[in-house]
Structure formats: C-alpha cells, structure tokens
C-alpha cells in the first residue's frame, strides 16, 4: 500500500501531491473493523449490574435535564450536514460517483467554518469551555475503562464522569483537531481553485509546503471517515440512545443523569420552571466543589485535578 | 529519475480484427492498455514518455470500424474512418456538409489521412502545461499551472473551468453536436449510445478525462440522424496559421430557416471550454427570430455571457462573439 | 555561353529529391552505437550528484560522458556538456548504448540531484535594482580590451530609471554600448514630427528542418566526423581546435545540410559529444538530435525590447534617430543590436543618430546569428513607424523611403563607413512597378465584407560579402574542371553557383565542371564560413581568382608547346588555342597531362605563398593530378558590401477575428549581378516567408514561474505553413553589378527576411488604419484586442509570450 501520492514537479523534483487514496479504504476498513470488534466485545461482555441510584438522587434534580441547548443542537446538526456534504463531495468521486464536487465542497467547507466559529464563540461566551478539558485523573480512569473493556470485565462503577464522559471528550477533541486541520488546509487550498474571494495562485506556497497541506487535508479527511463512522456507530448503539436522543430533543432523564454522571462533577440545579418542563433550561454547572480556582459559576469546568 | 522526451519506449502492439477481441485485450491489460487509432495524439504522449502503456491496441484492422453507410434517414460513420474520407465522402458533403467542412479543416492533409474521426473526437487536450508532463490536476496532480497569475494561457478556456482551464481541441466535435449525432460506445458491459454533447465531460466531473470513455471502452460508431440533413450550416475555425493549427475558437451551427425565420437552431463552439460547448441560450434566443443582423448581434452577446477570461485570453470573448454572429448571419448560397 | 545568369540545376539536386542524399543521421559505420542526452530540467542549476549506476548496469549500455570529460572552455563560452546548466534543456551528460531505445531507457534511470539556482528570463527584469542575474556573478561578461579582467558583473538600472519611463514605455537607464553620429539634439530640433515608440521583438528559434545530429569515429588517430553544419572547411578547423587536434587529423564529411539559418555556421558545440564519446568507448557514435532537443540547443535569434525616437522633417527626411535596445543574450550571451543600429542608420541615413544598447545574459537557450541578425528585427519594427510618420506628414510611403534611402554615397554605423554600391531607389522603383504600388496603395483600408485591406512596404539592408579567401581548381586529364569548395552546402546552391565564376573565366560549359564539396578528405581550399551572405561574394571572387590562375597556366603551357607568348592564346570551349589559329592549341585534357609532366606551379608542386595553410595542404595533396589553379582573392575592396531587398505586401485583415491573410508579396533585390535566377528567387521568397513567420505567427514562449520553454515543437512554435504563403509571389533584381567585385554579385541570403517581416508589419499597421502595434508576432489576439479596443493580451514590454 502506498501512503502518498507523489509526482515530479516541472523541475523534476519529487514532491508530495497528496495522500494515497488507499488510505481512504484503510480508514473505511479500519473503522469497520473497530466497530465490529467493539460490537463483538460489547456483546460478549456481561452487563453491569444496574445500579439503583435513581431514587437516591437529590430531589432538587429535575426529571428532565437539559443536556444540549437548542443552539447547541442546531450547531451540531448544521455542522454534521456540512461535514457530510464535505465527506460526500470529497470521497464519492473517488469511488466512482462523479459530479462537479469542488465548488460544493468548499462552500460546505465555509459552512463548516461558520458553524464552528459560532460554536467556539458560543462555547466561550455561554457555555463552559472547560467542560471538554481532559484531566490526568480522567485520563487514568479512561485508560482503565478501555483496559477493562478489552478484558471484558463489567464496566467499573467506581467513578462516574461529569457532563461529558472521557470517551466523549476524547472524541470531541480528536475530531476538533482533525477538523481544524482540515479547515486550515482547506482554506489554503481554496487559493488553488476558482472562488470569488481571491485570484488563484498555486504558487502561494512552495511545492513542498503545498505537498504537506494536501497530505494534511487528505489525512484529516480520511481520519474523519473513521471517526465519523465510530460516532454514528455509538449513536445508534442501544445503550447510548439516551444520548442520541438528547441531541434531538435536548434532554436526558434524571435516571440517565444519575446513572451515568457524577453529580459532583456535573452539578445540575433546577432553573426556574424546570420542573414544569418549561422552556428555560436548568442551570448546569461544572464541579464547583472541586474547582481549584474561583471561576465564575457558569464558566467553571469540570476539570479534575 | 531523469526526464527524456521525444523517444518512444517499447510497448506490445496488438492488432485485433474484431471489436470483441479489442475489448478483451483492453480488459485484460486495464490501465496499462491504450486504444490506438491514427496515432496523431497517441504518438505524442508515447514519444514524450508521459503516458507509458504496455499494451497498445491498434483498432486499424477491425473492418466494422471503418467506412460510412447510410442508415434510415441518416448516416453511420465508423470510428476508424479517416478524416480525409469524412471530409470528402459524398454522402457527408451533400447532406452534412458541416461535418465535412470541419473534418477538412483539421491540421493538414497528412494528419487527416492518418487521423480518424473517433480519434479526433476522443483526443486529449493540448494544454502545454499538461502535455509537458507536469503534475497538474488533469495528470492526477493537485495544481493548475495554466491559471497561475503569470501563466501562458492564451489558448485556454473562458468557460467551464473547474480547477483545469484546458480546452477541447477537436474540430469535428462541434459539428457533430450541431448535427445532434450519437456516439456508440462498446465495452465488455455491452453497447451504449451517448448524445454527442454528453460524450464530452468537463473537469468538474472527471478532471483526468475529456470524454465519457473509460478504460475498456471503445467508440465504435458515430450516428448522425437525418434531423439536420441539408440545413443551413456554418463552420468556421480561427487559428494562428492556416494549417497545422488547432482552433483558438471554432463555431459550428445548423439552422433551419423558413421565410427568413429561424425555425430550429443548434450551435456549438470549441476552444472556449474544456469541452465543446453547446450554446443552449443562444439557440433558445434565436429560435423563431428573423435571420438578420439584429438577431446575430444579440446572439453574439448572449453567447459570451458569463465568460471569465484568464490573463492572456480576453480576446476569445470578442472572437467567440463575432463567430457566433457570423454563424447566424445569412450565408451566401 | 556564360553560366552566370543561367538557371542551372545544382549537382546535388537529384540526390536530394530522390532521397539518396546523405544527411548527418544517414551515415553508418561498422559497430556504430547511439548516444542520447540528459537535459537540464531547470533554467539554472548546479549538478550536485549523479547516480548512473542503474543505467550503466543495463545490458547494452556502453558508457557515460560527463561534463568534466569534454573539451573545457573558458567563461563565458559554452562547452558541449555542463554541470552548471544555464537554461532549461541544456545538455548535462550523454549515454551511449547499442541502440537508441536502450540509450533513452538508460537516461530514464539516471538520478541527478540538481540544486536550483536563481534565474532570469527577461533582461529588463535583470536590470532592476535587485533583479536576478542569469549567472553566478552577474548578467554580463566584462572583458575590457587590453586588460586581464574577464569576469561576470552585474549591470543594473536604478529605481529612478524605471520610474522615469512613462506608462508602457521602455525605461532607459545606463547603457553598456553607446555610439552616435552627428548632433542628435540639433536633429530633433529640426524635426517637424517626432515619434517615440516602445517595441518588443520576440526571440525566434532557428528551426532548421534537419536537427544537428552528428556521427563520429576514430581511425588511426584521425577523427572522422559527420556533423550537420553550414560550413565545411571552417567547421573542420573549428573541430580540430576544440578537440586539440591537428587539422589534418580531422576528416569532416557532410555534403548536405538541412538548413541552419545561422545556427550551424561552423557546427555546434554538441557535435563534439559523439567525437569524445567515441574516443572513450572505442565505437563509432551516432547522436541523433530530435526536434525537442533541437529547439533547446539549436540556437535562436535574440529578441529585444527597444525604444525609438525618430524625428522627421515635413518632407519626410529623417533628421534624428535615437534607438535604445535591451537585448536578450540568452545563456551564453550574444547581441546583434549593434547591427540593428547599423542597419537603421543605413536604411534611413538620418542626419543624426544615437544607438544605445545593453545585451544581457538570461537563462534561455543560446542565441546566435539568425538570417539577417539584428537587421531583420529592426526593419520589421521600424518600418511601420516610418509609415506612421508618412501618414501623418501626408507623404507616399514609398516616397519617404526613396527620400531617406542611401545611394552609392551612403554611410553606415558609428564610423560612417562607406558602401561598395547601393541601388535602393532602383529597387524601390522596380518593386513599385512589379507590385503595382500605385493601384494597390489606393486599396489601402478598403473593406471587403469584414476584411480590411492593408498594403505594406519594407526595406531591408544586410551585409552582402567578405573577401580574401582562396580558390582552388583542378583541370584533370579528363578535360573537366574540378572546382574545390570549402564552403558548405546548406541548400542555398552557392557551393555550386560560385563555381561558375571559374567556369566562365575558363569559358567552360557547365557539363564539364565538377564541384568538389562537403568532404575535407577531398582537399578543399580555405573558405569563408557559409554564413552572413558572404559566399556568393567571397567565393565568386576566390574562384574567379583561381580560374584566372588556371587560365594563365593554360596559356603558358600552350605557349611552351606551340610557341609565342601566353597572351596570344585564348581559352574557351574546353581548349586553349592561338587567337589567330584555332588549331594551334590543345584540349584541357591534354593541357592537364602536360601540366602533370611539367610539374612545378603547373600541377601544384609550387604555389603562391599567400595561400592559407589549409589551401597549401590541399594543393600539395592534389599535386600531380592535373593543372592546378590556386589563388587568393586579392581583388581588394573599399567600403563594405551591402545588399538591399524591398518587400511589398498586400494583406487582408478580418476585423471580426483579427486574422491576417497575405494575398500578394513582391520583393526586389539589389544584389548586384544575378548568378542563378531560380536560386535567387528561392532566397528572396524563402527569406520572405521566414519574415512572414516573424511578423505574424512564430512564437517563443516561456513559463515565467519555472523558466521552462513551451514553443519547442513546430506546432507550438508556429513557423509559417505552406497555406500561409500567398499563391503568387513575385520577385525582381535590379541586376546592376557591384563595381568592386569581379563578378559583380552581392550576397542575398539574409536581407529577404527583414523585407518579408517589414512588409507584413507595415501592411498590418496599414490595415489597422496606421496603428503600429510595435510588437512581433502580430498574432490575431493582439490585433483583435486593438480592433475591439480591449486591453492588450500582453503588457507593452512583456516578452517570451
Ligand atoms: C500538429 C497537429 C495538429 C493538429 N491539428 C488539429 C486541428 O486543427 N483540429 C483537430 O480537430 N485536430 C487536430 N489534430 C489532432 C488530429 O487531427 C487527430 O485527429 C487526433 O489527434 C487523433 O486522431 P487519431 O485517429 O490519430 O487518434 P489517436 O491519436 O490514435 O487517438 C487519440 C485518442 O483517442 C483515443 N481513441 C482513438 N480512437 C478511439 C476509439 N475508437 N475508441 C476509444 N478511444 C479512442 C486514443 O486512445 C487516444 O487517447 C492535430 C494533430 C497534430 C499532431
Ligand atoms: C472537514 C472535512 C473535509 C474533508 C473530509 C475534506 C476532504 C477533502 C479531500 C479528500 C480533498 C481532495 C484532496 C486531494 O485531492 O488531495 C479535498 C479537497 C479540497 N478541500 Fe476539503 N475536506 C474537508 C474540509 C474542507 C474545508 C473546510 C475546506 C475549505 C474551506 C476544504 C476545501 C477544499 C478544497 C478547496 C479542495 C480542493 C483542492 C484541490 O483540488 O486542489 N475542505 N477535501
């Protein structure tokens, strides 16, 4: 298998022109293999005893807890649309489904950028930016979990995450890095194609630099194939439906909250009208109790030290 | 590895005598195979060692692919019929003079004796960046050299660019589009018929090909329906020299005019886009209009709407506009 | 009957039209193998490392030749292989193999690590304050006369120089060469009209039909070489010098040459490659050059950017001409701008003139003389400007040329040199007559549908002869005259036609004349280069001298045998006989036998002591084979010999497409005595067609980013095709003998090019209503943009487009 597409430039110098599309198949196969493996292990692993925590919960905790605000959900779905458009436009032509893809691709790319900009701004201003931070303890717990999963021992119940479990955070952050790489390189690549924004200039960077840009874009592209496959897989796994559902209607139930989250790490306080299932979301904060710094309530992280 | 040009490397030559055998060979060798007609484009690639097929499949010994026959109310032309024959055959000259004119203006007599209609339609672009073997989009790379800020792109396109800005070089293509011809393509999957217009594809769809042909496909026949037989035809090719040259812009039109009114029109231009371009908007605008200078003027303006010239080819706008006008003016009988 | 003035087919004709003629690549030798070149992919680079191990391990590969193995030359000259290529396509190394396919496959497998170096394509870019230089060290070679300094230096202009030029005008900083004649300011003061134009002339590849292939082998220490070269004697001497051999040890056999146009004057550097490779591997080596390689190594005419200011009096007289040329000297430097200035001075005889110029090295293929070097470019550019003045002053365009043209008292160049003769007004008058100027010029600007008629006229002078070479003839016992010719045979017929001078002196019919040429083992005399339109002049003189020498010896032998004084004997019809008694005499055959018996000067055992060493060796080798006439051209001459050609053209310009159709072309030459009318017509018309290409279509294109050439195929370089040539082309010759040469003939090879180019640039400007676009080639895009009032496709100074 080749990893790179290379060519001789006009001066007969060896340059990279992109990744080998074998890697696309590798990502697809790798992604599938992961899913199958995971599914098989999960299927053969004894279910954890259902912990009866629900009743023991703080009565102040509302029955429905808002996990994703309407704005976050809108962001998620908009972003996923642009992402799918990007993936489809990038890879369908490579597997023989041909259409004029480049313009749709970069327009979707701009769509993606806009949603992400919105997301970042929103997350910084309104949400808890630190909720995606992965601390050392968490990392340890995460590793233990993976090892446990591979050993097919029942999930540990000793510690529970805050709002976002470690796998979500890892997923989110990996995807964020990959996507940002795709975006950064994609924006540069727009200089090579016809757009209304600037005159085409393939010589903006040296051949070598362009090679790197195309390779990074390609790599992030195929990496996204695998990550998104995994994402969808988990979204449709029955034990995660409650999360998937929350991305649709915004809420999780108190039961799921108590079962899957550490109320100390994800403190939920009822907001006005929460109990009545009103529109205003309950206040959701990070683990203020453990917070080493005196950060304002709504901006605190559930960072663990 | 060093580059050396203008020296053909060795290859295996196959000369099948039937379409089936040819297709078998193409399937057997896949991407290492090369369909060889008159060689006027093929040899160039091989001499420059840029395309290096190991199995060259020469269609020259397949009798079904040669010759011109009447069918129903139209004509069927074998893909391996030489351009000379297409230009001089009396059935073509008398009923579809547009095609014979176009074929007769290709390159030179020597090239027309050797070059075939199928090859002329299937030939690759002459963008010199691409033909220099540079790793451009069309060559599977990730760059268009010809649209760079200082690039030499006088011959390149003003329409239809999608990363690639090359133009289609074929003179017969526009004539066949104007005549509403159909291309018959054979492969191991069977036979399919494609409208002349759809035979050519732009870089948006597949940046490495000029036509719908894929590995294993053979263009076998060009069918010309009787629809436009004896219509009012106009073909003009503007080139730097009167021989040897590819069109900078060419135009082909077929009009059915009744009592000075244009009843039906088909018009196509080449040299302006990566594919021969049918001018639907012009056709629509002139249909039903009187054939006069006013209509011609308007048609010229419509034709170049939306064109976006590169650094050195702005002249193609007035050139195309004027050629379209000419194509719609009344012709001296 | 005299042979001069007759249409006589040259002796190589049948072989050529039947395909039997052997050109360089047709030669074969026992054990011959093939060489192929590896060319630089970069416009300027240094070879860091070559790994040829894989190539050399291939079966059939016999050897590699690297730059350090070939004859070394001092900067700035060009060696046949280099490790610092200075232009894309420059040969770096060669591989020999049993066949060409293997040699090419071997090149494919060589790994060369090139380090790219800064490069420049446009001399104006190199002149910018921080502009790149083509060489490490500079953009021109500094070697003042009488000093030891010889090095590259940088010539730059200042920002202020660039800023001083108006929009679209060529800036004019410090020149490298400057001369002037008369008082320029006074000249402009007298002017009623002053035109100031910026000009761009393209560079042009030579594109001879035959590429410069070469085969070579060694036998008993002698080098046998079959190059494609314009000259014979001079090329052999050049090879001997380059290979450090005794001239006797070089046998050059090359009786045919498929054109050179100045690119193969004394061969070309690459012809040494098979010679050195053959010595290295001990096998005869054939190196066939293909079209692709030919465009790189095959030389080119320097293009230029220029600015010209011309002052005219109301009557059309040119009072002042101020010309500034920035020339592209290519990778190895060369400039013909000085000739351009000289030609301009000659054409218009301005009351005052200044030439300033700078020719800089660029990283583009080597330049060399090309048919009318300097002259063809400048007349094509200036003639439409003269038209513009004529139009503004309301003067007939031929009349303005007649007014300014030189006559026998004309002058040229910085030294205000003199001419042997100039019959320009006669040529203009004859041209007007044949072309029908009076009626045709009335058609100017008329429209026929979308076609506008343009009528043009161009005057093109070029140097037409050199002197001082040797003639060598032998009358053998078979009674035939053998004229040995050291000039080459590049298709101009001069190797045969100049022999007529000897034939006529001896009164011999042509069927008894044998021309010996193209093979230095056949003992050839010292000759001029086959270039610069010299040969018809130089070698009618030399052969005339040798004929006179042979005639004198015939008369002496007759007097010895029959009594009386030599002066009593006449020579004619293959006999020498007493003027009063035809029977008292002998045939040439008998005289030859007598000469052999008499030895001494009669049969070459003694000879004049002013003969060149090469001629001496040849006479010695031929001694005893017949009556030998050998003499140097001592006829003398005052001033320089110049030929003039005027071209007239009628074109149709399609105002909707910009296409130009040349409908009629007439050219008339003042080239002295006409030796061979048909051949003269071929030169006048052939050169004219080459000029059409310059004016209309021929391109030289570079990608500015990579410094890589694109117009390297015929179909991309676009020299004219046969359909671009008008069906009927007419010609004429004034036919007044030049008074300073015995036969009266002046050279004709070069000036027809400028006439063709200028007639077309002038006609196109005329069809455009007098608008001079001042650039070549005038392709239809340039014309259409002007017609439609759109922006020009190229910047006013943009070159290599
Ligand atoms: C100097 C020069 C000038 C020219 N000028 C012009 C011009 O002005 N106008 C113009 O229209 N053309 C021009 N041509 C092109 C020429 O006219 C040929 O028609 C054309 O290049 C190819 O025809 P061919 O039969 O030689 O095919 P080839 O060169 O053998 O084939 C061309 C291509 O088509 C494919 N192909 C050919 N036949 C078939 C088939 N039946 N089925 C599937 N694939 C096929 C081949 O695989 C190859 O890729 C010029 C060519 C040259 C060399
Ligand atoms: C995040 C998901 C994305 C994926 C999966 C993706 C994937 C790809 C792939 C596989 C290619 C082909 C690359 C090659 O030929 O080597 C490509 C090309 C391209 N992408 Fe993306 N991309 C993504 C995001 C973006 C973004 C955000 C932009 C710009 C805003 C962008 C702009 C481009 C452009 C302009 C090209 C064409 C470049 C060319 O052909 O030269 N992409 N993309």
């Amino acid at each position: 298998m080749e990893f790179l597409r290379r060519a001789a430039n006009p001066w007969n110098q060896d340059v990279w022109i992109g990744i080998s599309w074998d890697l696309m198949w590798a990502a697809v196969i790798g992604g599938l293999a992961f899913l199958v493996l995971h599914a098989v292990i999960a299927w053969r692993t004894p279910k954890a005893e259902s912990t009866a925590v629900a009743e023991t919960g703080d009565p102040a905790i509302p029955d429905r807890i808002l996990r994703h605000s309407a704005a976050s959900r809108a962001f998620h779905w908009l972003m996923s649309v642009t992402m799918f458009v990007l993936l489809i436009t990038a890879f369908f032509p490579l597997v023989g489904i041909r259409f004029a893809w480049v313009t749709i691709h970069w327009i979707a790319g701009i769509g993606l950028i806009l949603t992400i900009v919105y997301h970042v701004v929103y997350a910084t201003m309104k949400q808890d930016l630190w909720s995606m931070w992965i601390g050392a303890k968490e990392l340890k717990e995460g590793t233990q979990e993976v090892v446990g999963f591979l050993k097919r021992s029942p999930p540990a119940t000793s510690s529970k995450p805050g709002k976002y479990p470690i796998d979500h955070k890892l997923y989110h952050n990996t995807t964020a890095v990959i996507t940002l790489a795709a975006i950064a390189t994609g924006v540069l690549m727009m200089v090579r194609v016809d757009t209304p924004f600037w005159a085409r200039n393939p010589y903006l960077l040296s051949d070598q630099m362009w090679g790197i840009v195309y390779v990074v874009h390609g790599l992030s592209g195929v990496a996204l194939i695998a990550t998104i496959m995994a994402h969808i897989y988990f979204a449709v796994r029955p034990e995660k439906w409650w999360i998937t559902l929350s991305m649709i209607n915004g809420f999780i139930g108190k039961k799921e909250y108590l079962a899957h989250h550490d109320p100390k790490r994800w403190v939920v306080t009822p907001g006005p009208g929460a109990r009545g299932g009103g529109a205003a979301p309950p206040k959701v904060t990070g683990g203020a109790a453990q917070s080493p710094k005196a950060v304002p309530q709504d901006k605190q992280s559930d960072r663990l030290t | 590895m060093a580059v050396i040009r203008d020296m053909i490397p060795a290859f295996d030559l196959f000369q099948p005598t039937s379409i089936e055998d040819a297709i078998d060979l193409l399937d057997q060798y896949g991407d290492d195979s090369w369909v060889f007609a008159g060689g006027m484009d093929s040899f160039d690639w091989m001499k420059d060692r840029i395309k290096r097929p190991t199995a060259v499949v020469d269609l020259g010994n397949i009798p079904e692919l040669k010759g011109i026959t009447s069918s129903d109310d139209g004509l069927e032309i074998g893909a391996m019929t030489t351009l000379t024959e297409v230009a001089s055959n009396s059935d073509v000259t008398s009923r579809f003079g547009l095609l014979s004119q176009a074929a007769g203006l290709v390159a030179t007599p020597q090239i027309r004796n050797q070059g075939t209609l199928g090859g002329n339609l299937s030939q690759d672009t002459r963008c010199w960046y691409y033909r220099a073997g540079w790793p451009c989009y069309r060559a599977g790379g990730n760059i268009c050299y010809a649209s760079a800020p200082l690039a030499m792109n006088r011959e390149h396109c003003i329409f239809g660019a999608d990363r690639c800005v090359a133009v289609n070089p074929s003179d017969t293509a526009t004539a066949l589009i104007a005549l509403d011809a159909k291309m018959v393509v054979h492969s191991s999957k069977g036979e399919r018929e494609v409208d002349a217009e759809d035979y050519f594809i732009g870089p948006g769809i597949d940046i490495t090909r000029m036509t719908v042909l894929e590995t294993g496909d053979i263009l076998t026949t060009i069918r010309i329906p009787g629809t436009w037989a004896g219509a009012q035809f106009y073909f003009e090719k503007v080139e730097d020299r009167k021989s040897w040259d590819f069109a900078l812009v060419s135009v082909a039109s077929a009009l059915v005019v009744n009592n000075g009114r244009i009843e039906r029109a088909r018009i196509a231009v080449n040299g302006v886009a990566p594919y021969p371009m049918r001018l639907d908007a012009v056709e629509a605008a002139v249909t039903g209009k009187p054939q006069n200078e006013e209509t011609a003027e308007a048609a010229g303006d419509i034709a170049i709407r939306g064109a976006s010239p590169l650094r050195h080819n702005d002249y193609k706008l007035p050139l195309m506009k004027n050629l379209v006008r000419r194509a719609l003016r009344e012709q001296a009988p | 009957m005299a042979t001069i003035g007759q249409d006589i087919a040259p002796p190589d004709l049948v072989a050529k039209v039947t395909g039997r003629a052997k050109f360089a690549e047709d030669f074969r030798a026992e054990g011959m193998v093939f060489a192929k070149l590896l060319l630089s992919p970069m416009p300027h680079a240094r070879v860091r490392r070559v790994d040829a191990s894989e190539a050399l391990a291939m079966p059939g590969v016999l050897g590699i030749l690297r730059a350090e193995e070939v004859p070394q030359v001092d900067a700035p000259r060009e060696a046949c292989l280099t490790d610092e290529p200075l232009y894309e396509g420059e040969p770096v190394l060669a591989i020999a193999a049993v066949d060409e396919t293997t040699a090419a496959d071997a090149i494919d497998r060589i790994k060369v690590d090139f380090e790219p170096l800064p490069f420049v394509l446009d001399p104006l870019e190199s002149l910018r304050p921080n502009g790149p230089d083509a060489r490490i060290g500079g953009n021109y070679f500094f070697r003042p006369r009488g000093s030891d300094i010889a090095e590259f230096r940088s010539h730059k202009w200042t920002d202020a120089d660039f800023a001083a030029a108006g929009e679209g005008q060529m800036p004019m900083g410090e020149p490298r060469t400057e001369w002037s004649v008369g008082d320029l300011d006074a000249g402009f003061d007298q002017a009623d009209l002053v035109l100031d134009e910026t000009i761009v002339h393209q560079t042009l590849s030579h594109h001879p039909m035959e590429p410069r292939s070469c085969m070579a082998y060694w036998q008993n220490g002698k080098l046998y070489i079959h190059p494609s070269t314009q000259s014979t004697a001079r090329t052999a001497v050049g090879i001997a010098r380059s290979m450090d051999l005794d001239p006797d040890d070089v046998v050059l056999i090359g009786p045919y040459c498929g054109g050179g146009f100045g690119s193969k004057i004394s061969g070309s550097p690459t012809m040494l490659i098979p010679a050195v490779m053959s010595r290295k591997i001990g096998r005869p080596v054939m190196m066939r050059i293909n079209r692709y390689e030919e465009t790189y190594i095959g030389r080119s005419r320097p293009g230029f950017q220029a600015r010209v200011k011309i002052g005219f009096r109301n009557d059309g007289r040119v009072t002042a001409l101020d010309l500034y040329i920035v020339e592209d000297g290519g990778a190895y430097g060369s400039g013909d701008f000085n000739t351009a200035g000289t030609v301009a001075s000659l054409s218009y005889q301005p009351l005052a003139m200044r030439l300033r110029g700078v020719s800089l090295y660029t990283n583009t293929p080597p330049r060399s003389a090309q048919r009318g070097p300097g002259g063809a470019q400048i007349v094509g550019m200036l003639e439409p400007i003269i038209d513009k003045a004529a139009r503004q002053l309301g003067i007939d365009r031929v009349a303005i040329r007649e007014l300014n043209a030189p006559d026998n008292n004309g002058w040229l160049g910085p030294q205000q040199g003199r001419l042997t003769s100039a019959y320009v007004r006669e040529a203009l008058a004859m041209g007007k007559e044949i072309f029908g100027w009076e009626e045709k010029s009335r058609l100017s600007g008329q429209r026929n549908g979308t076609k506008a008629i343009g009528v043009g006229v161009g005057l093109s002078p070029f140097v037409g002869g050199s002197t001082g070479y040797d003639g060598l003839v032998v009358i053998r016992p078979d009674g035939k005259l053998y004229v040995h010719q050291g000039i080459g045979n590049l298709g101009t017929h001069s190797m045969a036609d100049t022999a007529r001078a000897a034939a006529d002196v001896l009164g011999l019919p042509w069927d008894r004349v044998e021309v010996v040429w193209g093979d230095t083992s056949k003992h050839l005399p010292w000759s001029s280069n086959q270039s610069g339109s010299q040969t018809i002049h130089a070698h009618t003189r030399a052969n005339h001298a040798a004929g006179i020498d042979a005639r004198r010896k015939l008369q002496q032998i007759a007097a010895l045998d029959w009594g009386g004084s030599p002066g009593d004997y006449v020579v004619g019809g293959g006999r020498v006989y007493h003027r009063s008694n035809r029977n008292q005499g002998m045939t040439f055959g008998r005289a030859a036998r007598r000469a052999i018996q008499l030895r001494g000067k009669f049969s070459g055992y003694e000879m004049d002591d002013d003969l060149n060493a090469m001629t001496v060796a040849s006479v010695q080798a031929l001694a005893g084979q017949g009556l030998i006439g050998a003499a140097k051209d001592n006829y003398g001459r005052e001033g320089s010999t110049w030929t003039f050609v005027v071209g007239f053209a009628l074109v149709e310009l399609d105002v909707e497409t910009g296409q130009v159709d040349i409908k009629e072309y007439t050219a008339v030459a003042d080239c002295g005595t006409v030796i061979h009318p048909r051949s003269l017509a071929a030169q006048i018309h052939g050169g004219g067609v080459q000029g059409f290409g310059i004016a209309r279509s021929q391109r030289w294109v570079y990608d500015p980013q990579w410094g890589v050439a694109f117009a390297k195929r015929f179909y991309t370089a676009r020299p004219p095709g046969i359909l671009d040539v008008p069906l009927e082309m007419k010609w004429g010759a004034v036919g007044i003998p030049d008074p300073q040469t015995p036969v009266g003939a002046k050279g004709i090879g070069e000036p027809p090019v400028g006439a063709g180019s200028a007639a077309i640039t002038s006609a196109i400007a005329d069809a455009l209503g007098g608008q001079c676009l001042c650039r070549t080639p005038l392709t239809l895009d340039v014309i259409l943009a002007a017609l439609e009032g759109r922006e020009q496709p190229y910047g006013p100074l943009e070159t290599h487009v």
Side-chain angles (χ1 to χ4, degrees), chain B residues 209-248:
Chain B
R209 290 183 296 154
M210 303 291 289
T211 66
V212 295
L213 296 183
E214 290 192 78
T215 308
D217 284 346
I218 292 179
L219 170 64
T220 52
T221 311
I222 293 91
R223 292 195 183 127
I224 308 178
T227 340
W228 294 89
Q232 191 186 93
F233 294 133
Y234 187 82
F235 187 88
E236 186 171 358
K237 164 180 180 182
V238 171
E239 52 194 332
D240 281 316
R241 301 177 296 167
K242 287 201 219 148
S243 57
W244 289 112
D245 255 345
F246 292 91
L248 293 165

Side-chain angles (χ1 to χ4, degrees), chain B residues 165-303:
Chain B
V165 297
V167 294
N168 182 294
S170 169
D171 285 334
T172 56
T174 45
L176 288 170
I177 291 176
L179 293 173
D180 197 12
K182 316 280 173 220
M183 315 293 189
V184 183
V185 178
H186 273 84
S187 74
S188 49
K189 289 183 220 124
E191 179 189 315
R192 66 201 146 110
E193 199 184 81
V194 188
D195 279 349
E197 196 185 341
D198 300 331
Y199 184 71
F200 304 95
I201 57 177
I205 306 294
D206 188 342
I207 208 158
T208 61
R209 290 183 296 154
M210 303 291 289
T211 66
V212 295
L213 296 183
E214 290 192 78
T215 308
D217 284 346
I218 292 179
L219 170 64
T220 52
T221 311
I222 293 91
R223 292 195 183 127
I224 308 178
T227 340
W228 294 89
Q232 191 186 93
F233 294 133
Y234 187 82
F235 187 88
E236 186 171 358
K237 164 180 180 182
V238 171
E239 52 194 332
D240 281 316
R241 301 177 296 167
K242 287 201 219 148
S243 57
W244 289 112
D245 255 345
F246 292 91
L248 293 165
V249 179
S250 66
V251 64
S253 67
L255 306 180
V256 173
V257 183
N258 218 335
N259 289 330
R261 244 167 227 290
I262 301 171
E263 277 185 352
R264 288 188 288 144
R266 273 178 85 96
I267 174 161
V269 287
N270 215 351
V272 296
Y275 42 85
M277 200 165 89
R278 185 171 164 206
L279 304 180
D280 310 72
V282 172
E283 290 172 11
V286 302
T287 307
K289 297 272 159 51
Q291 187 176 29
N292 59 21
E293 192 57 35
E294 199 184 319
T295 305
E297 290 269 319
D301 294 338
I302 294 169

Side-chain angles (χ1 to χ4, degrees), chain A residues 51-66 160 242 251-263 266 268 270 275:
Chain A
T51 37
V53 280
E55 314 81 61
T56 62
D58 182 342
I61 296 169
D63 291 343
R64 286 172 78 217
I65 295 156
L66 184 68
K160 276 182 267 174
W242 61 276
F251 293 96
I252 57 173
K254 183 172 181 179
K255 200 173 102 202
E256 282 89 15
Y257 170 71
L258 292 172
H260 298 284
H261 299 275
D262 183 343
W266 181 18
V268 177
R275 214 170 257 281

Side-chain angles (χ1 to χ4, degrees), chain A residues 49-264:
Chain A
E49 317 252 307
S50 137
T51 37
V53 280
E55 314 81 61
T56 62
D58 182 342
I61 296 169
D63 291 343
R64 286 172 78 217
I65 295 156
L66 184 68
R67 194 170 192 264
H68 301 291
S69 67
S72 312
R73 278 176 283 144
F75 156 71
H76 174 270
W77 291 114
L78 271 177
M79 190 195 68
S80 55
V81 166
T82 57
M83 185 59 82
F84 274 106
V85 173
L86 282 163
L87 285 170
I88 287 168
T89 49
F91 294 112
F92 276 26
L94 291 173
V95 298
I97 303 167
R98 301 196 184 278
F99 55 96
W101 62 275
V102 178
T103 309
I104 312 175
H105 184 80
W106 66 253
I107 291 175
I110 291 176
L112 177 69
I113 294 172
L114 293 178
T115 52
I116 287 177
V117 167
Y118 163 80
H119 170 62
V120 171
V121 171
Y122 184 80
T124 349
M125 314 240 301
K126 292 269 177 65
Q127 282 181 324
D128 178 8
L129 202 58
W130 292 109
S131 65
M132 279 297 163
W133 180 262
I134 298 171
K137 180 169 172 218
E138 237 181 324
L139 213 56
K140 216 168 93 207
E141 288 169 7
T143 322
Q144 280 164 3
E145 231 177 288
V146 172
V147 172
F149 177 74
L150 289 177
K151 287 187 179 155
R152 290 193 275 121
S153 44
T157 47
S158 55
S159 90
K160 276 182 267 174
K163 179 171 180 185
Y164 296 116
I166 170 77
D167 50 342
H168 285 212
K169 290 191 196 178
L170 270 175
Y171 178 80
H172 172 275
N173 294 359
T174 316
T175 313
V177 167
I178 297 174
T179 309
L180 288 177
I183 288 178
T185 49
V187 168
L188 277 171
M189 284 154 77
M190 282 174 68
V191 176
R192 289 230 180 183
V193 304
D194 267 313
T195 64
F197 309 115
W198 42 67
R200 294 175 72 173
N201 183 6
Y203 304 134
L204 186 71
L205 305 176
S206 70
D207 274 3
Q208 280 76 10
M209 280 307 295
W210 276 121
I212 293 168
V213 167
Y214 275 79
V215 166
V216 170
H217 196 76
L219 280 178
S220 27
V222 297
L224 282 168
I225 296 183
T227 46
I228 285 169
M229 278 171 76
H231 184 67
I232 296 171
Y233 165 76
F234 285 115
V236 299
R237 276 194 72 86
E239 74 269 19
K240 308 271 182 186
W241 279 352
W242 61 276
I243 303 181
T244 314
L245 221 74
S246 78
M247 193 43 89
I248 297 168
N249 63 23
F251 293 96
I252 57 173
K254 183 172 181 179
K255 200 173 102 202
E256 282 89 15
Y257 170 71
L258 292 172
H260 298 284
H261 299 275
D262 183 343
K264 284 195 223 97

